[in-house]
Structures are given as C-alpha cells and as structure tokens.
Amino acid sequence: MSRAAETLSKIPLATFSIIAICCLVYIYQFLFDPNLQQFTMCPRLVIYLNEYYRFITSSLFHGSMMHIGMNMMSTMAIGSSLEKQVGSFTMGFTILWGILLTSTIYTGVSWLLYLMFDYERMMYQHSVGFSGVIFQLSVLETNLNPNRMRSVFGFFQVSSKMYPWALLVILQFIMPQISFLGHLSGILVGTLQL
C-alpha cells in the first residue's frame, strides 16, 4: 500500500467526505472556471437578494490551489483528531452545523455593523473557503484536550484553549487579505457548541 493510500485510509468517514466534496467542487472550478463571485459569501447579496445558497457554497468553493490545499490539510489534521473522539455521525452533524452557522454569524455581524455604525465594507466583501468551519472544529478539538500546550507555527506556545485565538491573530498579520470575520465566526460557532 502506498503512503498516500495509507494516509487516506486513516481519515475517518465524515472528515474524508467533506474533503472529497471540497476537492470535487474544486475540480469543477478548475474544469469549468465559473465566476467565483456567484458562490462567495456576500452578506448584501444574501440579505437583499435572498441568495441563501451562498451559506453553503461559500464554504465549499476555494480561491486557489494553495487555498484548498491548506484548508484540506488543516481539515484532515483537525477533523480526524476530533472525529476519532466524537464519532462520525456527530462530526458530520458538526460540520453541517458549522457551514450553516459560520455563514449566518458572518452575515449577521456584517449587517449589525452596517446598521449600528454605517460600516458598509463587510456587507460588500466576498469571502470563500472552508476555514471558518476549520476554526470551529479547532475550538472543539482544543477544548477536548484542555491541558495541552500548542505551538503556534513553532514560534511560541499557548494553551490549547487559546490556540484558535492565537491563530486568528497571527494569520491575520501574516495574510491580511484573509477573512478575519469568517475565521472569527468559526471561533464563535465552536464556542457556542461547547
């Protein structure tokens, strides 16, 4: 058995399924080159044009090969660890819950910022990718192992419970174009599930 086949055979069912779905969607993107903005999370389009399908498509579509590669490697690591502890049925439900709620919180926060502070930027922003759900899963996984320390890119150590928050801040500094609100929404969904 090849190393790749051995690695794939160790991925639990729900984690493997979401990785496969995201990869199939990316193959569709690669072959047919659809307009990505038709599938992104854009709160204005959800609220005012009732494009609710974006709650799901925005998590399954990705912006580049590197984007899907990084997200699926993270999903494999975090998802496999969590699924082995909670089981495939619970994990599948958790992923579906995460897809729907991260998008809902993202849209709700954007709308509230617009209503309360007339801050329109978030209403027009397009975001895409599975990373909000990955942040949700990381909150759940790290809280199942609360006594461990985690390394943040090998630079410093933080407690397991602070790990998703440290990643949120560090990733935003390293890659300022990524969706801070998308990742924050995932952390909030994970925290609600505790």
Side-chain angles (χ1 to χ4, degrees), residues 125-191:
Q125 184 175 343
H126 289 261
S127 64
V128 69
F130 197 67
S131 55
V133 178
I134 295 169
F135 270 84
Q136 169 217 10
L137 298 177
S138 72
V139 169
L140 299 174
E141 194 272 333
T142 57
N143 276 275
L144 287 175
N145 301 300
N147 297 324
R148 293 178 40 196
M149 296 294 285
R150 301 278 173 113
S151 172
V152 179
F153 301 116
F155 293 119
F156 58 92
Q157 299 254 336
V158 295
S159 70
S160 286
K161 289 186 178 187
M162 291 306 297
Y163 184 69
W165 294 98
L167 281 181
L168 175 71
V169 173
I170 298 297
L171 285 174
Q172 200 62 44
F173 280 113
I174 294 172
M175 297 178 281
Q177 74 281 4
I178 63 175
S179 176
F180 177 82
L181 184 55
H183 294 168
L184 178 62
S185 297
I187 290 175
L188 296 174
V189 170
T191 303

Side-chain angles (χ1 to χ4, degrees), residues 86-140:
V86 301
S88 294
F89 179 78
T90 300
M91 184 67 170
F93 181 75
T94 299
I95 290 170
L96 180 59
W97 179 255
I99 288 171
L100 296 172
L101 276 185
T102 55
S103 296
T104 301
I105 288 175
Y106 184 100
T107 302
V109 169
S110 299
W111 186 64
L112 285 173
L113 287 171
Y114 172 65
L115 286 179
M116 295 173 71
F117 303 107
D118 202 30
Y119 185 71
E120 285 187 325
R121 182 172 171 227
M122 299 309 295
M123 290 290 287
Y124 288 90
Q125 184 175 343
H126 289 261
S127 64
V128 69
F130 197 67
S131 55
V133 178
I134 295 169
F135 270 84
Q136 169 217 10
L137 298 177
S138 72
V139 169
L140 299 174

Side-chain angles (χ1 to χ4, degrees), residues 12-83:
L13 179 62
T15 301
F16 183 83
S17 298
I18 194 61
I19 290 171
I21 290 168
C22 287
C23 288
L24 288 171
V25 168
Y26 193 76
I27 290 169
Y28 164 78
Q29 287 179 251
F30 184 78
L31 293 176
F32 299 103
D33 194 28
N35 179 359
L36 191 57
Q37 287 200 349
Q38 291 180 343
F39 303 99
T40 58
M41 174 48 62
C42 179
R44 181 185 66 81
L45 297 175
V46 170
I47 293 168
Y48 297 116
L49 298 181
N50 302 316
E51 295 182 358
Y52 301 113
Y53 68 89
R54 291 175 183 273
F55 280 1
I56 296 171
T57 60
S58 63
S59 291
L60 302 178
F61 280 73
H62 287 80
S64 69
M65 183 73 80
M66 183 177 157
H67 187 201
I68 191 167
M70 296 298 287
N71 276 359
M72 294 306 102
M73 285 190 293
S74 298
T75 301
M76 185 173 69
I78 295 168
S80 294
S81 173
L82 181 60
E83 187 169 349

